[in-house]
Amino acid sequence: MEVFDHEPGPRVVFGAGALAQVPAEVRRLGPRRVLLIAGRHEKPYADTLAAGLSPAGRIEEVAVHVPAETAAAGIEVAREIEADLLVCVGGGSATGLAKAIARQTGVAILAVPTTYAGSELTPVWGLTEGGRKTTGGDPRVRPRVVVYDPELTLSLPVEVSAASGLNAVAHAVEALYAPDAAPQTKDAGEEGIRILAAALPKVVARPGDLAARTDALRGAWRCGAALAGATMGVHHTICHVLGGAYDMPHAETHAVVLPHAVACNEAFVPAAMARLGGALGSNDPAKALWDLAARIDAPTSLAQLGFRHENVDAAAELVVAAGKANPRPVERDWVAELLLEAWDGARPDDS
């Protein structure tokens, strides 16, 4: 078992069997009234934790993109039971709900990720209401402790593993060219990309390979750490717009959009692209990312995911209106072109 105390980031406990360390970590924090948050897929792990934690309450309904009504219900439960610690088990949906509750109540979070989402390491929150996903940063939503147990990812379906891993890679890619990323942040991102690019094909070929799963989770940890120290660019903006306005699946959308976002930005950040290419073992990182997605059977087109061609122009307008920083100035024409390329799904520059 590995334990790392980071400032200002969370304490990290990493290793096979780490789930058993959660009760001790709760005792170390000192709270007594735990609200346990886990979706239905994670119920067996939540049941195991409940036996050792005796939570004051449980939430078993989580949803992608954190709908405002789901967040409101969770906040009400936390206040009713006077929770002083949120323990969330699962992927970005469970972590996102915990963050929504923490943002309004100030209650601390202990996160137990079961995917490669990476949000457990960041102060970034997201909430969807009225067809729009709003994101922001708040130190109150960053978990105090993160417990990574690779054994919990063994049951993660191959298709979810592939998309979730590429979602993590996207975090690190944008950290490589973020204007505020410190050198150590970029180093973490490059390391995470290199680890995941090697591990994901093994995970897909042998889902029960604990060593490959361990590598993938470690890579996701490094990618999440990179995102925590960087401003998000147009790639994340596009994915948030598509998720909020068109109910697109989160990780899969990241997997599709990433190669095209890289292709659009690469001429503006050559040093970052050289690092990305080095991590991927290619002098053409946009193509290498598309090839990696194809190799692990991740989706490669927005059309596959149900996004409609006629929505491209409206989506591009929403991306521009979001006004996020990006190496290439965000303009409607090239964003619409990017969306069209992602909708079609052709390998970058091969269309």
Side-chain angles (χ1 to χ4, degrees):
M1 205 70 59
E2 303 170 67
V3 179
F4 304 86
D5 284 294
H6 300 281
E7 290 296 337
R11 173 180 169 92
V12 171
V13 180
F14 187 100
L19 185 68
Q21 301 301 312
V22 171
E25 290 298 318
V26 170
R27 290 192 296 271
R28 192 186 64 82
L29 290 172
R32 300 171 188 171
R33 299 188 64 77
V34 171
L35 174 56
L36 183 59
I37 301 169
R40 294 176 182 176
H41 179 77
E42 291 77 30
K43 188 177 186 301
Y45 309 132
D47 288 345
T48 296
L49 286 180
L53 296 176
S54 300
R58 285 183 69 165
I59 293 176
E60 296 184 339
E61 296 294 330
V62 301
V64 67
H65 303 303
V66 193
E69 57 271 22
T70 303
I75 292 164
E76 183 177 356
V77 171
R79 287 174 171 161
E80 283 179 355
I81 68 171
E82 298 181 342
D84 51 17
L85 180 65
L86 309 173
V87 175
C88 57
V89 185
S93 297
T95 305
L97 177 56
K99 287 182 169 186
I101 296 170
R103 180 169 168 251
Q104 293 298 320
T105 64
V107 176
I109 301 173
L110 185 155
V112 185
T114 61
T115 70
Y116 307 128
S119 60
E120 68 278 354
L121 288 167
T122 78
V124 177
W125 57 268
L127 197 67
T128 301
E129 186 172 18
R132 298 291 183 269
K133 183 171 183 177
T134 303
T135 62
D138 189 327
R140 291 177 299 175
V141 310
R142 176 181 278 172
R144 296 270 298 279
V145 179
V146 179
V147 176
Y148 288 108
D149 186 342
E151 292 182 350
L152 305 190
T153 67
L154 289 171
S155 62
L156 194 64
V158 165
E159 63 274 15
V160 178
S161 300
S164 182
L166 289 171
N167 180 14
V169 169
H171 300 333
V173 168
E174 292 223 301
L176 288 179
Y177 54 67
D180 56 348
Q184 59 268 32
T185 296
K186 296 181 180 183
D187 290 346
E190 185 177 354
E191 179 188 14
I193 294 165
R194 181 177 290 107
I195 294 171
L196 275 165
L200 288 175
K202 298 175 184 176
V203 166
V204 169
R206 300 184 300 278
D209 184 339
L210 183 58
R213 291 285 189 178
T214 299
D215 285 345
L217 195 59
R218 189 181 298 277
W221 166 22
R222 305 312 296 148
C223 290
L227 180 65
T231 298
M232 292 181 287
V234 75
H235 168 82
H236 279 81
T237 304
I238 289 170
C239 294
H240 293 161
V241 163
L242 295 181
Y246 303 99
D247 198 29
M248 300 290 287
H250 184 72
E252 292 84 353
T253 301
H254 276 278
V256 171
V257 171
L258 182 59
H260 303 285
V262 167
C264 285
N265 275 323
E266 58 187 353
F268 295 79
V269 279
M273 292 301 159
R275 294 188 72 164
L276 176 57
L280 295 169
S282 170
N283 59 8
D284 193 329
K287 286 186 172 68
L289 287 166
W290 192 95
D291 290 344
L292 175 60
R295 181 181 177 189
I296 61 178
D297 290 325
T300 54
S301 84
L302 292 178
Q304 282 179 264
L305 304 180
F307 185 65
R308 298 170 68 88
H309 184 281
E310 56 263 36
N311 289 328
V312 164
D313 288 339
E317 295 284 0
L318 291 173
V319 171
V320 174
K324 298 294 176 128
N326 191 69
R328 181 179 186 177
V330 179
E331 299 168 348
R332 183 198 168 284
D333 287 350
W334 73 258
V335 172
E337 183 179 350
L338 186 162
L339 287 167
L340 281 171
E341 295 287 343
W343 177 84
D344 179 75
R347 192 170 182 250
D349 294 330
D350 285 356
S351 57

